[in-house]
Amino acid sequence: MIYFDNAATTYPKPREVINEINKAFTLYGANPGRSGHDMSMNTALAVYSARETLNTFFDGYGSEYVSFTSNCTGSLNMAIKGILESGDHVIISSLEHNSVLRPVIKLAEQKKITFSVFAVTHNEEETLFNLKKEIKDNTKLIITTAVSNVFGDILPLENIGRIARENNILFMVDGAQGAGVIPIKMKQMGINCLCIPGHKSLYGPMGIGAILHDGCIKETIIEGGTGTESFNFNQPLAFPERLESGTLNVPAVCGLKKGVEITSSYGVNNIFGDESELMELMFNELSGIRNIILYKNEYNRKTQAPLIAFNVKNMHSEEVSAFLNSNSVAVRGGFHCSPLAHKTYGTELIGAVRVSPSRFNTKKDVKYVINLLQKIAKNKNV
Amino acid sequence: MIYFDNAATTYPKPREVINEINKAFTLYGANPGRSGHDMSMNTALAVYSARETLNTFFDGYGSEYVSFTSNCTGSLNMAIKGILESGDHVIISSLEHNSVLRPVIKLAEQKKITFSVFAVTHNEEETLFNLKKEIKDNTKLIITTAVSNVFGDILPLENIGRIARENNILFMVDGAQGAGVIPIKMKQMGINCLCIPGHKSLYGPMGIGAILHDGCIKETIIEGGTGTESFNFNQPLAFPERLESGTLNVPAVCGLKKGVEITSSYGVNNIFGDESELMELMFNELSGIRNIILYKNEYNRKTQAPLIAFNVKNMHSEEVSAFLNSNSVAVRGGFHCSPLAHKTYGTELIGAVRVSPSRFNTKKDVKYVINLLQKIAKNKNV
């Protein structure tokens, strides 16, 4: 199988990550922060060390402001509902995933908050202008994805962060597709809160995510045992425990740490370069195939993360992905939990075929897929 | 190391469980329910099969009413906040963990609900009388743990379920310490909602929990991409997706399934019998040691799950556990995230030393610990 569905989850995971997870089952098999015996303490140290790794990698506000969650959606819900208070206004981009859209719309339907959507276009100045237009007196938060999960657009994080700071507004980034592929530096980019998954381009396992923040998260949506302040009937105020109730996913924390180390050691810019080379090749080849619809005029590495969405004329995207699957190629067709993004690009009816590489894909993989698409698109003359 | 901290998390995990997790990294490495390619579909089937396993094991209301979460605390928060509405009254037991207590107290402090606590005593009739006393017209829910995480008391689930049903009240069980150790049969016991961790006596890994319910959960605290109804701006109503936003922890789901299969195949009653034999031996030996404080008059298998809490006169529980640790025995001392339970047993000041076995402990382990405790207690004459 040629696996090009890495934006859903990277596959395979690096051998080092799986080894680390297995090591954790043996060495860090106790519950961290609960008991005082050696294995529990060693487990807690391993978890703390993973906080440090993430904090350094994302230029965060300190290891105590790195809390582990179950996935990026969990992180986003905890962060959005932990920051927004009654009467607040929030601005989100037109490329947000349902993991941002659904919690925001729920709060709005409960009449707790109001929200605006700013349109992301191919012109950065226009995008920033669209954003600024939506700022109101009660705007507390701007939320944008780092990278569109459907079309790969990179958002101008640093400039959005500057606008947020100038207007005394908090800036939250959904790193689901960006973390590990483009550099995300919180302090440098003025990001107050970053939500990430472990299992995508950081090459960790499923079942782990994180919230990195600067202390802007006040409220909790999940309370419970934290191993601290047992006799406090309220959720402790101290981070990271405040956002970590119940037993942590220790093996996955260890696996994620290793994944970040690997990513960091090879270099995000190198990963971006390698994957962009593959996707640029694919884009250029696809451009030459009649009946293929691409949603960008050119492949621009400045604004394009290495993933491509396309369609074949007169075919539903699910048909195309099923055809590829029958030829041992795994991609995602249909809709991608991002209704606004599909509206932005006019693909609400047929969805889009998404090809998303990892560092394990090769030019040979790209050529194999191109060859298949040439065959199918040829039969779709219109 | 002799590991007697299995109530915090079981260690080691069975080899079969770890093998299954590793198999999942290879065979079920795609995102289930997102894409249509073969590996994604096979992964979805593996997850569905785990739902069936849990549903059967706990005599649940159907596989679609088994949702996977990150841990038991996550399950409890989703269930409590998903059931209770403004104006409701809830009754909880005096042995509840902070994973129940903190969310309930938070809702009460927000003036959304009111709650009462019923005292669990060593007399079942008295316990049930205490419960019935607290029922009000607006009581919607009774929540009890299956087993006290500190003192091992087994709650009379079937009779509580009967009282709940007779009064048209929902019954939720915190299975953190009970699942896999005592039989929990939802339909038979009249349990509407059961929250479980994967990593304790079901021998799964950390990072996975589940909610089993009969459809009584209406509201959500986490919304996001479910892979379904992409263009619905609201969280889909259908279970299990309604309670499963974002990517599932597939390897842990597979590991938990294997853990439940192992438990089921050996038999919960056999596990209970084996572990009770160890704890009864320990209880009887401890009873004979001067200066050891036990919190039960006798070891009664009808009301006692296989774990023991004790103290040594004139010592803090943390001192005792540190002494055991220095002799390569892992137990938990101090407080156990259960302030009400410590108040019930009068151990708010010194906490308690908890010895909790798994199926991997032996009589030799028990004797080793007894021998150590004899030494330390002898020096504590009062």
Side-chain angles (χ1 to χ4, degrees):
Chain A
M1 176 190 58
I2 293 176
Y3 185 83
F4 266 129
D5 192 17
N6 293 284
T9 193
T10 45
Y11 176 85
K13 303 301 178 193
R15 180 41 52 195
E16 301 92 315
V17 168
I18 293 183
N19 288 348
E20 203 65 22
I21 292 167
N22 280 291
K23 197 175 109 186
F25 281 121
T26 309
L27 290 184
Y28 308 123
N31 205 325
R34 297 314 193 258
S35 310
H37 55 78
D38 289 351
M39 190 185 260
S40 175
M41 302 298 270
N42 290 339
T43 305
L45 287 175
V47 171
Y48 188 78
S49 154
R51 296 190 207 281
E52 289 184 313
T53 302
L54 263 73
N55 182 60
T56 303
F57 186 75
F58 290 112
D59 187 26
Y61 298 88
S63 303
E64 69 272 34
Y65 293 111
V66 178
S67 288
F68 291 107
T69 65
S70 55
N71 56 26
C72 193
T73 302
S75 299
L76 284 163
N77 274 267
M78 291 165 83
I80 291 169
K81 294 167 186 172
I83 290 174
L84 292 176
E85 292 173 293
S86 199
D88 285 339
H89 174 251
V90 56
I91 304 174
I92 67 175
S93 91
S94 62
L95 295 176
E96 295 314 300
H97 188 272
N98 274 334
S99 54
V100 167
L101 207 52
R102 283 179 174 165
V104 164
I105 286 179
K106 182 165 182 192
L107 292 176
E109 287 184 350
Q110 290 173 334
K111 312 275 182 210
K112 283 190 188 154
I113 63 153
T114 52
F115 74 99
S116 308
V117 179
F118 74 98
V120 178
T121 74
H122 294 159
N123 180 320
E124 182 175 326
E125 265 181 57
E126 193 178 36
T127 298
L128 297 176
F129 174 80
N130 291 343
L131 164 63
K132 281 189 269 192
K133 244 183 6 191
E134 301 300 339
I135 295 176
K136 301 184 201 301
D137 287 348
N138 64 336
T139 304
K140 182 188 257 176
L141 179 66
I142 296 167
I143 312 175
T144 72
T145 187
V147 166
S148 163
N149 69 307
V150 195
F151 297 96
D153 313 59
I154 299 175
L155 274 84
L157 299 184
E158 195 151 1
N159 281 330
I160 296 174
R162 185 181 43 73
I163 292 169
R165 210 164 39 242
E166 284 168 4
N167 289 277
N168 206 19
I169 296 169
L170 296 170
F171 179 31
M172 183 189 301
V173 170
D174 171 5
Q177 299 301 333
V181 177
I182 61 166
I184 302 181
K185 300 291 176 190
M186 294 183 73
K187 290 207 297 273
Q188 183 190 318
M189 294 175 164
I191 299 167
N192 302 88
C193 178
L194 171 66
C195 297
I196 57 155
H199 70 106
K200 293 188 174 179
S201 295
L202 296 171
Y203 294 94
M206 294 176 186
I208 191 78
I211 304 178
L212 293 91
H213 64 112
D214 65 356
C216 57
I217 300 177
K218 304 296 179 199
E219 208 32 90
T220 55
I221 57 171
I222 293 176
E223 301 84 32
T226 50
T228 57
E229 303 180 35
S230 265
F231 277 84
N232 184 349
F233 287 141
N234 299 115
Q235 187 72 355
L237 292 173
F239 295 111
E241 295 85 0
R242 182 161 176 77
L243 300 175
E244 289 178 349
S245 295
T247 299
L248 281 180
N249 188 351
V250 173
V253 166
C254 296
L256 173 56
K257 175 179 151 72
K258 179 55 76 178
V260 173
E261 283 170 354
I262 291 172
T263 305
S264 176
S265 132
Y266 187 65
V268 169
N269 289 333
N270 291 327
I271 290 173
F272 182 87
D274 293 352
E275 294 186 6
S276 292
E277 201 177 330
L278 297 185
M279 289 301 99
E280 192 162 4
L281 170 63
M282 181 162 277
F283 186 92
N284 292 338
E285 293 285 336
L286 287 177
S287 307
I289 302 177
R290 207 172 129 92
N291 298 325
I292 295 269
I293 311 164
L294 288 162
Y295 294 91
K296 306 282 169 80
N297 294 327
E298 52 169 3
Y299 194 93
N300 183 348
R301 290 194 188 193
K302 284 194 182 139
T303 55
Q304 182 69 32
L307 69 84
I308 286 178
F310 71 91
N311 273 300
V312 178
K313 269 187 196 158
N314 293 335
M315 286 183 84
H316 193 285
S317 61
E318 297 272 28
E319 264 182 280
V320 179
S321 58
F323 165 76
L324 290 174
N325 178 55
S326 68
N327 286 280
S328 301
V329 175
V331 299
R332 183 169 176 186
F335 305 103
H336 301 252
C337 299
S338 295
L340 296 186
H342 284 290
K343 282 187 185 166
T344 300
Y345 280 93
T347 57
E348 309 98 296
L349 293 179
I350 57 167
V353 185
R354 180 182 68 186
V355 177
S356 53
S358 80
R359 52 191 300 228
F360 296 115
N361 287 107
T362 62
K363 280 190 186 172
K364 207 176 140 196
D365 295 344
V366 171
K367 285 176 183 161
Y368 182 82
V369 174
I370 289 293
N371 192 38
L372 288 171
L373 289 171
Q374 271 167 336
K375 280 186 203 162
I376 198 173
K378 206 165 56 181
N379 303 325
K380 293 289 157 182
N381 284 321
V382 283
Chain B
M1 175 189 60
I2 292 175
Y3 186 82
F4 266 129
D5 193 17
N6 292 284
T9 193
T10 45
Y11 177 85
K13 302 301 178 192
R15 178 42 51 193
E16 300 93 315
V17 168
I18 294 182
N19 289 347
E20 202 66 20
I21 292 167
N22 280 289
K23 197 175 108 185
F25 281 122
T26 308
L27 290 185
Y28 308 123
N31 205 324
R34 296 316 193 257
S35 311
H37 56 77
D38 289 351
M39 190 186 259
S40 175
M41 301 298 271
N42 290 338
T43 305
L45 287 174
V47 171
Y48 188 78
S49 154
R51 297 189 207 281
E52 289 184 313
T53 302
L54 264 73
N55 182 61
T56 303
F57 185 76
F58 289 113
D59 187 26
Y61 297 88
S63 303
E64 68 272 35
Y65 293 111
V66 179
S67 288
F68 291 108
T69 66
S70 55
N71 58 25
C72 192
T73 302
S75 299
L76 285 163
N77 273 267
M78 290 165 84
I80 291 169
K81 294 168 186 172
I83 290 175
L84 292 175
E85 292 172 292
S86 198
D88 286 339
H89 174 252
V90 55
I91 303 173
I92 66 175
S93 91
S94 62
L95 296 175
E96 296 312 302
H97 188 271
N98 273 334
S99 54
V100 166
L101 208 52
R102 283 179 175 165
V104 164
I105 286 179
K106 181 163 183 194
L107 291 176
E109 287 185 350
Q110 290 172 334
K111 312 276 182 210
K112 283 190 189 153
I113 63 153
T114 52
F115 74 100
S116 307
V117 179
F118 74 98
V120 178
T121 73
H122 294 159
N123 179 322
E124 182 175 326
E125 265 180 59
E126 193 178 35
T127 297
L128 297 176
F129 175 79
N130 291 342
L131 165 63
K132 281 189 270 191
K133 244 184 5 193
E134 301 300 339
I135 295 176
K136 299 184 201 302
D137 286 346
N138 64 336
T139 304
K140 182 188 259 177
L141 180 65
I142 295 166
I143 312 175
T144 71
T145 187
V147 166
S148 163
N149 69 308
V150 195
F151 297 96
D153 313 59
I154 299 175
L155 274 86
L157 298 185
E158 195 152 1
N159 282 330
I160 296 174
R162 186 181 44 73
I163 291 169
R165 210 164 39 242
E166 284 168 3
N167 289 276
N168 206 18
I169 296 170
L170 296 170
F171 180 30
M172 183 190 300
V173 170
D174 171 5
Q177 299 302 332
V181 176
I182 61 165
I184 302 181
K185 300 291 175 190
M186 294 183 72
K187 290 207 297 273
Q188 185 190 317
M189 293 175 165
I191 299 167
N192 303 89
C193 180
L194 172 66
C195 297
I196 57 155
H199 70 105
K200 294 188 173 179
S201 295
L202 296 171
Y203 294 94
M206 295 175 185
I208 192 78
I211 305 179
L212 293 90
H213 65 111
D214 64 356
C216 57
I217 300 177
K218 304 295 180 198
E219 209 32 270
T220 55
I221 57 171
I222 293 177
E223 302 85 32
T226 50
T228 57
E229 303 180 35
S230 264
F231 277 84
N232 184 349
F233 287 141
N234 299 116
Q235 187 72 355
L237 292 172
F239 295 110
E241 294 86 0
R242 184 161 175 75
L243 300 175
E244 288 178 350
S245 295
T247 299
L248 282 180
N249 188 352
V250 173
V253 166
C254 296
L256 173 56
K257 175 179 151 71
K258 180 56 75 179
V260 173
E261 282 170 354
I262 291 172
T263 304
S264 175
S265 131
Y266 187 66
V268 169
N269 289 333
N270 291 327
I271 291 173
F272 182 87
D274 292 352
E275 294 186 7
S276 292
E277 200 177 331
L278 297 185
M279 288 301 99
E280 192 162 3
L281 170 64
M282 181 162 277
F283 185 93
N284 291 338
E285 292 286 335
L286 288 177
S287 307
I289 303 177
R290 207 171 128 93
N291 297 325
I292 295 268
I293 311 164
L294 288 163
Y295 294 92
K296 306 282 169 81
N297 293 327
E298 52 170 2
Y299 193 93
N300 181 349
R301 289 194 189 192
K302 284 194 183 142
T303 55
Q304 182 70 33
L307 69 84
I308 286 178
F310 70 92
N311 272 300
V312 178
K313 269 186 197 160
N314 293 335
M315 286 182 84
H316 194 284
S317 61
E318 297 272 27
E319 264 183 279
V320 179
S321 58
F323 164 76
L324 290 174
N325 178 54
S326 68
N327 286 281
S328 300
V329 175
V331 299
R332 183 170 175 184
F335 306 101
H336 301 252
C337 299
S338 294
L340 296 186
H342 284 289
K343 282 188 184 166
T344 300
Y345 281 94
T347 56
E348 308 98 295
L349 293 180
I350 57 167
V353 185
R354 180 182 68 187
V355 177
S356 54
S358 79
R359 52 191 300 226
F360 296 115
N361 287 107
T362 62
K363 281 190 187 172
K364 206 175 140 194
D365 295 344
V366 171
K367 285 174 183 163
Y368 182 83
V369 174
I370 289 294
N371 191 37
L372 287 171
L373 289 171
Q374 270 167 336
K375 281 187 201 160
I376 198 173
K378 206 165 56 182
N379 302 326
K380 293 288 160 183
N381 285 321
V382 282

